[in-house]
């Protein structure tokens, strides 16, 4: 699903070049749930952005679901992101003037789905994230956990094979965070969606089946685990 071969990223600053990601080899299989951990400034968000086609590597190659991102134009990468990857962010990135249903429908509308297709897909996604009855609410009327579930529903709108989550529980209390993690786990286990999640939280990382540790732009650890947070929401309720 995801293959990096000697991929690096150098940013130009006033002080000169800064290598945010050193030459990196990484392979994430289809259907994996991987957490990327590391301190602030370690390069984990840079790695996620490269995997999502939000930026290009300075050197090396990146292939995601058969797409050679390092060789693609900005227009091609935009289409790739819009149709094949779902993004979930720490601050939800919902449009406050739009309802829950309208926020979820955004990717579908951008890809010119019919009104009937949008209506049916939004209804299904609201059921999937347990937000039935909230379709006419605005983001400000929802809790943080509910807003993040709306963001996940929006990420699922185009039925992506890959979800990239950047600190998805960072703004949530423990119970809300556990509910979001349980939802991501269910999407991975029941639907086979590959999930790559950046987090600094050990509890959040416990939901993943694999933990990749990055420090100073280099991968320094890579281990598999059982995924210990499947039932945290039940235990905290």
């Amino acid at each position: 699903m995801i293959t990096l071969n000697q991929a690096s990223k150098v940013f130009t600053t006033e002080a000169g070049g800064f290598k945010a990601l050193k030459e990196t080899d990484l392979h994430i299989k289809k259907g994996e749930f991987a957490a990327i951990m590391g301190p602030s400034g370690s390069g984990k968000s840079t790695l996620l952005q490269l995997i999502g086609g939000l930026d290009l590597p300075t050197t090396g190659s990146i292939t995601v679901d058969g797409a050679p991102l390092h060789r693609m134009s900005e227009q091609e990468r935009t289409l790739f992101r819009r149709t094949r990857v779902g993004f979930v962010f720490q601050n939800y990135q919902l449009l406050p003037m739009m309802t829950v249903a309208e926020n979820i429908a955004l990717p579908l509308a951008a890809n010119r789905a019919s009104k009937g297709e949008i209506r049916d897909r939004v209804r299904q996604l609201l059921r999937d994230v347990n937000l039935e009855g909230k379709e006419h609410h605005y983001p400000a009327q929802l809790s943080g956990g509910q807003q993040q579930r709306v963001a996940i529903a929006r990420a699922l709108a185009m039925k992506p094979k890959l979800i990239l989550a950047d600190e998805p529980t960072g703004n949530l209390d423990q119970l809300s965070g556990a509910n979001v993690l349980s939802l991501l786990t269910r999407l991975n286990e029941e639907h086979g969606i590959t999930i790559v999640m950046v987090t600094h939280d050990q509890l959040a990382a416990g939901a993943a089946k694999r933990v990749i540790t990055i420090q100073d732009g280099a991968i320094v650890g890579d281990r598999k685990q059982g995924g210990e947070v499947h039932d945290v929401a039940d235990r905290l309720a």
Side-chain angles (χ1 to χ4, degrees):
M1 168 61 80
I2 300 167
T3 300
L4 280 73
N5 184 16
Q6 289 293 287
S8 72
K9 183 62 185 180
V10 177
F11 293 104
T12 302
T13 68
E14 292 182 1
F18 169 69
K19 186 171 281 189
L21 185 71
K22 298 173 182 175
E23 288 73 11
T24 298
D25 293 325
L26 178 65
H27 181 64
I28 296 174
K29 295 179 182 179
K30 180 181 178 181
E32 280 199 276
F33 186 166
I36 301 174
M37 295 197 72
S40 178
S42 61
K44 56 186 186 295
S45 290
T46 298
L47 177 57
L48 199 73
Q49 288 169 358
L50 291 174
I51 292 172
L54 292 167
D55 207 347
L56 286 171
T58 304
T59 64
S61 65
I62 301 178
T63 302
V64 179
D65 193 26
L69 299 184
H70 56 289
R71 290 200 219 122
M72 293 166 67
S73 67
E74 176 59 36
Q75 184 177 9
E76 289 170 332
R77 285 186 290 115
T78 297
L79 181 61
F80 167 82
R81 293 192 301 268
R82 199 171 70 191
T83 57
R84 297 167 69 177
V85 183
F87 292 90
V88 179
F89 301 97
Q90 180 175 348
N91 60 356
Y92 323 132
Q93 294 197 2
L94 302 177
L95 295 179
M97 73 293 296
M98 287 187 170
T99 65
V100 165
E102 290 168 339
N103 269 284
I104 295 172
L106 277 172
L108 296 161
N111 284 280
R112 300 182 180 180
S114 70
K115 288 184 179 180
E117 289 172 331
I118 291 174
R119 182 187 61 249
D120 292 344
R121 182 66 176 147
V122 168
R123 186 179 296 142
Q124 177 188 345
L125 289 166
L126 286 167
R127 287 197 300 268
D128 289 345
V129 300
N130 195 26
L131 285 176
E132 289 178 285
K134 302 291 187 183
E135 56 267 29
H136 300 302
H137 286 60
Y138 289 89
Q141 298 173 299
L142 304 178
S143 68
Q146 289 172 327
Q147 290 186 62
Q148 191 61 291
R149 280 187 277 152
V150 174
I152 292 172
R154 181 184 57 192
L156 292 169
M158 294 300 297
K159 301 181 180 180
K161 298 177 183 178
L162 172 65
I163 288 180
L164 302 179
D166 195 352
E167 300 282 5
T169 62
N171 286 341
L172 304 178
D173 61 74
Q174 192 176 34
L175 179 56
S176 296
N179 281 321
V180 166
L181 292 171
S182 294
L183 174 57
L184 291 174
T185 298
R186 179 163 57 83
L187 293 171
N188 172 251
E189 293 184 343
E190 296 181 8
H191 299 280
I193 297 173
T194 305
I195 298 175
V196 181
M197 174 180 67
V198 160
T199 184
H200 68 277
D201 182 2
Q202 290 284 354
L203 179 65
K209 305 282 179 54
R210 178 180 176 188
V211 177
I212 299 161
T213 305
I214 188 168
Q215 185 172 340
D216 296 327
I219 293 176
V220 296
D222 191 344
R223 62 182 173 84
K224 294 191 176 182
Q225 60 181 16
E228 296 88 355
V229 193
H230 294 192
D231 63 344
V232 167
D234 293 333
R235 298 203 307 268
L236 293 176

